[in-house]
Amino acid sequence: KVTAFNHAFAVVEQILETGKREGTIKRDIQPTVGAYIFFGSLETVCTGFTLGAIKCSTKEEAEMVKKTFRQILLEGLKA
């Protein structure tokens, strides 16, 4: 399980590194920190589902959650 966890972080770090090289992500973003922010945010959203704090029982609610998650994480990373 730890290996899968480390692999997942490495994949996100690589995505961020590639984005930095291609100019689609700010060059001053630290990929390791970005990966932790991504997974920490994702885990917190999942906890919100579990506790019933985030509604996601309809397709519309699910789409809104995805849109919000994507906007918050990516809009701050765009160059």
Side-chain angles (χ1 to χ4, degrees):
K1 291 183 181 184
V2 172
T3 302
F5 181 80
N6 289 336
H7 178 70
F9 270 84
V11 168
V12 173
E13 285 177 304
Q14 186 58 47
I15 291 168
L16 295 176
E17 282 290 348
T18 299
K20 286 172 63 171
R21 276 194 309 277
E22 294 176 354
T24 58
I25 292 176
K26 294 177 182 179
R27 296 196 186 279
D28 61 348
I29 297 295
Q30 187 181 24
T32 301
V33 175
Y36 274 89
I37 289 169
F38 174 78
F39 283 107
S41 299
L42 187 58
E43 181 180 356
T44 302
V45 169
C46 290
T47 299
F49 293 150
T50 302
L51 297 176
I54 296 175
K55 303 300 179 208
C56 191
S57 57
T58 67
K59 183 175 181 171
E60 292 79 18
E61 289 172 340
E63 288 301 319
M64 184 54 72
V65 170
K66 288 191 300 186
K67 179 182 176 183
T68 302
F69 189 84
R70 185 173 46 250
Q71 284 181 328
I72 288 172
L73 286 179
L74 297 181
E75 293 300 320
L77 296 175
K78 285 185 180 179

